[in-house]
Every structure is written in C-alpha cells, then in structure tokens.
C-alpha cells in the first residue's frame, strides 16, 4: 500500500474519530482554490433506476461536498425530483475509497461563481458551448463552434453562463475504505443519528 506524504495518520486503522468529517478533511482538499479529484456521482433516475456519471469535486467545505453541472443536464433534473445522491471517490495510489451519501441542495450564487473561477480555461469554455445542439453536431462542426467561441471571447476572463449551477451534498452516511498489502483491508462506516451525532461501525474490508 502506498501512503501519500504527510498522510500516515489519516487512515482507518488508528483510533477512529467521533466525527467522520474530521477524517474526510484529512482525505479531501478543503481550500477550494482548484477542483479536487474526480468522483462518481450517483443519483436516482427519473425512471427509478440508479444513474451514475463522473464529475469533479469542486471543494469540501468541512461539512459538505460541492460539485457543479449544467442546470439543463439529466443529473440536475434528477436532483430536482429527488435531492439525494451518493458520491464515490477512489485514490488507487493510496489504496483508499470514500463513499458519501446524503441530501443535496443548490449552492449560493457566490459559491457557484467562485467554483467557476477555479476551473481551467478549457472547462470554463466547455460550460458555455457543450449543450445538446453541440452534442448532436459532427466532429467538424463541434470544433468550428469551439474555435468561434474562442475567437469571439478572446483570452479575457469568462463569467459563468446562466446555465452553470452548483450543488452541495450534506453527508448522512460515510464509508471509508483502506486497502493494504500486508494485511486485510478495512472499512469504517458512519451514519448520522437523529440527534445529529454519528454512529460508527467497523466493517469487513
């Protein structure tokens, strides 16, 4: 198992914290200056079946996990219908996995704008041009539209499009998995209790 620098104590093998958000903060980026790792976002589809896709973790604010998308997207419609989701984040190089399940709510306009500003130029442009019309166009037309947007806007800063939207997931359950090469893997499960505290269980890896 490879442990990232400075993270030797941030495992599930030591004394577990009473608050899982403490452990989550040791695993997740918290400053929000740049998007974090990719994660699988699972929602409840409008047809009742699970619906999953990969998105960027925009930031972890110590309490909630933020992500952003086009407000016209399928996931936005699904979250409007059932505002619950799970996210799965995997760090293969550290033999870690974190699964977080909870309630989802829109973020403030300021939070959404800050997240957009932290995106790369490529992702900022993508938020403007990657709509349903572009998806159905030929490869040539797709590149032409991309080039035309760049020529029209130049290299100046971009404001987020009106279709840019953000969400934050408030955890109700967290599952931390830690792998190993010299022993069994380990899982630590937390679930929020009715009084706001956390119940904790160690599960087989």
């Amino acid at each position: 198992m490879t442990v990232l620098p400075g993270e030797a104590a941030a495992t599930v093998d030591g004394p577990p914290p009473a608050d899982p958000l403490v452990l989550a903060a040791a695993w997740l980026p918290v400053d929000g200056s740049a998007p974090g790792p990719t994660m699988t976002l699972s929602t409840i589809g409008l047809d009742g079946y699970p619906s999953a896709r990969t998105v960027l973790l925009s930031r972890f604010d110590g309490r909630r996990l933020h992500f952003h998308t086009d407000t016209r997207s399928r996931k936005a419609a699904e979250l409007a219908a059932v505002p619950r989701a799970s996210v799965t984040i995997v760090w293969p190089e550290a033999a870690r996995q974190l699964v977080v399940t909870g309630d989802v709510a829109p973020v403030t306009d300021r939070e959404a704008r800050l997240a957009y500003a932290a995106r790369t130029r490529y992702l900022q442009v993508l938020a403007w041009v990657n709509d349903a019309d572009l998806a159905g166009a030929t490869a040539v037309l797709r590149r032409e539209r991309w080039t035309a947007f760049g020529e029209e806007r130049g290299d100046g800063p971009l404001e987020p499009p009106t279709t840019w939207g953000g969400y934050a997931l408030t955890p109700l359950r967290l599952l931390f998995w830690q792998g190993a090469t010299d022993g069994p893997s380990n899982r630590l499960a937390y679930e929020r209790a009715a009084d706001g505290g956390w119940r904790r269980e160690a599960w087989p890896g």
Side-chain angles (χ1 to χ4, degrees):
M1 178 183 65
T2 301
V3 178
L4 297 180
E7 295 184 337
T11 71
V12 301
D13 297 321
D19 186 344
L21 300 180
V22 173
L23 185 54
W27 287 21
L28 297 172
V30 295
D31 64 359
S33 60
T38 57
M39 58 187 187
T40 300
L41 170 68
S42 300
T43 53
I44 300 171
L46 299 180
D47 58 2
Y49 285 91
S51 181
R53 77 290 288 160
T54 300
V55 300
L56 282 175
L57 171 65
S58 294
R59 66 184 290 249
F60 173 62
D61 64 13
R63 298 181 300 109
R64 305 173 302 163
L65 287 80
H66 296 235
F67 60 94
H68 293 77
T69 188
D70 191 307
T71 55
R72 300 165 295 183
S73 66
R74 183 181 65 182
K75 54 183 153 320
E78 292 167 349
L79 289 170
V82 183
R84 297 173 180 172
S86 288
V87 297
T88 303
I89 307 173
V90 181
W91 296 268
E93 73 284 357
R96 288 179 180 172
Q97 177 178 274
L98 172 61
V99 182
V100 184
T101 300
D103 297 318
V104 178
V107 302
T108 66
D109 180 66
R110 178 178 180 275
E111 287 172 322
R113 294 177 69 87
L114 288 174
Y116 183 82
R119 291 290 199 267
T120 64
R121 181 73 175 193
Y122 173 83
L123 292 176
Q124 289 180 342
V125 174
L126 193 66
W128 273 97
V129 304
N130 198 29
D131 56 19
D133 289 340
L134 187 70
T138 65
V140 172
L141 289 176
R142 287 162 63 86
R143 291 190 177 91
E144 287 178 350
R145 182 172 170 188
W146 186 275
T147 300
F149 181 90
E151 292 174 348
E152 177 185 346
R153 297 302 181 97
D155 297 327
L158 293 174
E159 292 291 314
T162 58
T163 53
W164 173 259
Y167 299 88
L169 186 153
T170 299
L172 295 178
R173 304 187 190 98
L174 298 97
L175 182 60
F176 299 86
W177 176 86
Q178 182 79 58
T181 57
D182 57 353
S185 56
N186 192 15
R187 286 194 293 172
L188 192 58
Y190 289 84
E191 183 165 1
R192 192 183 296 274
D195 62 2
W198 294 94
R199 292 190 295 268
R200 183 183 68 239
E201 290 185 334
W203 291 358

